[in-house]
Amino acid sequence: KNVATAGSSTIMEEEDSDDESESSSKARIVDFRRTTLICVSLVVIIAVVIGSSFSFAKPPPEFSTSTATPPQPLEDGLPHLHKYAYVFVAYDRSGYAVADELNEQLQKTMAEQKGHGKLKEQYIDSRSQFNAESLCPDLNLESNTVTILEAPEFHCNMQKLRALFMNHKDHDQEKYGVKVIHLVRNPFSMAVANYQDRKSRDQPEEVRFKNPCNSLTQDFSPNVPMTVADLNSPILEENGIMTHEDFDNTLANCNGMYQTQPGLETATYQQHLEQLPPADGLRMSVADGIKNIALMASDLITFKRVHQMVLDEHSNPKRKKKRHYGLMTLTMDAMLNYPGNSMMNFMDFIFGAGISTTAKRSAAASYEHNQKSAKESTDAMETEKLITLLRNDPIVGEPLGRVESLLDLVLSEQQTSEIER
């Protein structure tokens, strides 16, 4: 700006010259210099913009955190990526989709590593593989495997749960540890997404015609005569998150609405959500989806306890075999709003120094591009209105708020752990 002003001043001074031709020539020279300066400035600005495009927008630190025990020291200095078990845990439709996307990238990168190849995959059905005695699924997390768990039922004691993650059956194959990717979501956001999904998307008959209240009354199975409240309320009540009464109140409210309103006596679940006021429809969909919210809250507590148990084992000088336990807690808000940075964090967590930064950034840039291309348009203002309705709801607002506080606390503590490392 100062140079341009000086140039203008020079032009004015030259115009006062008696030699009109010389004045005009000098003025053209000054104009050329000023134009050149502007072009150079534009080039610099463009270069800065282009350069900035190679860095991803970073989410607030509470959106993505990880915690880990020290990995087993390796004499050869190699990462031995195939000697770990990898586990994805998710709770809703969006979480399952992200788990598949992250697994696809994990498998692609592993296949590119010399001497590795793809990991063996296993999908665990928490109901069909649930152990009625231990109250946990029958898991065997071998090295060189990736396991995707959809809303897993972990209700066993902490020693059993620690053994499920850290032990394995095939002792001929060495296992260095486990890396868990915990895909979580704000409970209000999860509840609203379930409401919108059940209300507006094409649903199979078993969903459209289901009684949403039954989610809270049905026993887990004939061999496990316990409801979602029976299984989850002990650990949640112990930590001040949700009581059995919270589940009961949600159930009573649902029963008071379902097929009891004028004109809805024979209506389906989906028809209720379409015709009830949003506040009522939200409460009904919370009853339908509260199980997964409760499971997420339970896992936030138990995964943290397992980490502390393994950490204590590492501090025991008498323990010879020390396996690595890595836990990445990744929110769906981060995946949806900051896909590139989230993928970069994921690649760092999984591969560490085992692959180049260039390879990680390439994967992150590709993922961000694909997510932006496929991103569905959503009415953010409408979603925020529905979340506000839930926050102020006299039945479900407080329990969901306590789950939200638990999630914030876990993310904050893990972020502090990262900083200290």
Side-chain angles (χ1 to χ4, degrees), residues 77-335:
L78 298 176
H80 293 281
L81 299 170
H82 63 292
K83 292 191 176 181
Y84 287 86
Y86 301 89
V87 183
F88 293 93
V89 180
Y91 303 92
D92 66 356
R93 185 173 60 86
S94 296
Y96 306 150
V98 168
D100 286 336
E101 292 166 356
L102 294 178
N103 177 45
E104 183 179 351
Q105 183 60 57
L106 169 61
Q107 295 283 24
K108 178 177 181 293
T109 307
M110 287 292 288
E112 294 169 351
Q113 306 310 302
K114 185 177 180 180
H116 279 235
K118 287 189 174 183
L119 303 165
K120 299 174 184 176
E121 294 182 352
Q122 58 177 345
Y123 288 77
I124 302 298
D125 183 342
S126 63
R127 285 190 171 273
S128 65
Q129 295 179 253
F130 190 78
N131 189 310
E133 294 183 5
S134 69
L135 299 183
C136 266
D138 287 325
L139 288 180
N140 179 35
L141 303 178
E142 296 286 352
S143 59
N144 199 42
T145 64
V146 57
T147 303
I148 296 181
L149 298 170
E150 298 183 356
E153 302 271 357
F154 291 128
H155 306 296
C156 49
N157 63 55
M158 290 302 100
Q159 287 290 347
K160 175 64 176 177
L161 185 58
R162 176 243 167 246
L164 286 177
F165 279 116
M166 307 307 294
N167 297 346
H168 66 134
K169 296 178 180 179
D170 186 359
H171 297 293
D172 292 333
Q173 301 295 323
E174 192 169 11
K175 179 179 178 180
Y176 284 172
V178 62
K179 294 189 178 184
V180 181
I181 301 90
H182 193 196
L183 295 167
V184 298
R185 193 167 190 175
N186 180 284
F188 291 105
S189 176
M190 187 188 293
V192 167
N194 184 60
Y195 169 72
Q196 293 172 326
D197 185 60
R198 297 293 199 242
K199 178 182 178 182
S200 62
R201 295 180 62 87
D202 291 333
Q203 299 291 326
E205 284 194 6
E206 62 266 25
V207 173
R208 288 188 292 115
F209 292 94
K210 71 183 293 187
N211 180 338
C213 313
N214 286 347
S215 300
L216 285 162
T217 59
Q218 291 178 338
D219 288 340
F220 182 86
S221 71
N223 295 329
V224 185
M226 302 175 74
T227 65
V228 58
D230 297 332
L231 289 167
N232 289 279
S233 61
I235 191 169
L236 296 180
E237 189 162 357
E238 173 190 336
N239 288 270
I241 308 302
M242 294 178 74
T243 65
H244 206 294
E245 184 179 1
D246 290 326
F247 289 97
D248 292 342
N249 290 340
T250 303
L251 172 61
N253 183 263
C254 183
N255 284 331
M257 288 189 294
Y258 186 67
Q259 295 185 339
T260 64
Q261 309 297 308
L264 295 175
E265 292 87 349
T266 60
T268 65
Y269 173 31
Q270 189 174 45
Q271 289 170 338
H272 276 77
L273 298 185
E274 291 172 346
Q275 298 179 43
L276 286 173
D280 293 338
L282 279 167
R283 282 200 298 272
M284 184 173 288
S285 68
V286 167
D288 171 39
I290 199 170
K291 171 188 171 182
N292 288 357
I293 294 175
L295 289 173
M296 181 186 74
S298 296
D299 290 345
L300 285 168
I301 297 168
T302 56
F303 289 179
K304 176 183 173 182
R305 291 183 179 178
V306 169
H307 170 252
Q308 187 58 51
M309 291 175 69
V310 180
L311 196 63
D312 292 342
E313 292 170 2
H314 275 261
S315 62
N316 182 0
K318 296 182 180 180
R319 189 176 182 90
K320 294 181 179 180
K321 187 64 178 179
K322 298 178 181 179
R323 291 197 173 109
H324 173 72
Y325 176 90
L327 172 64
M328 181 180 196
T329 304
L330 182 58
T331 72
M332 293 305 300
D333 297 290
M335 292 302 305

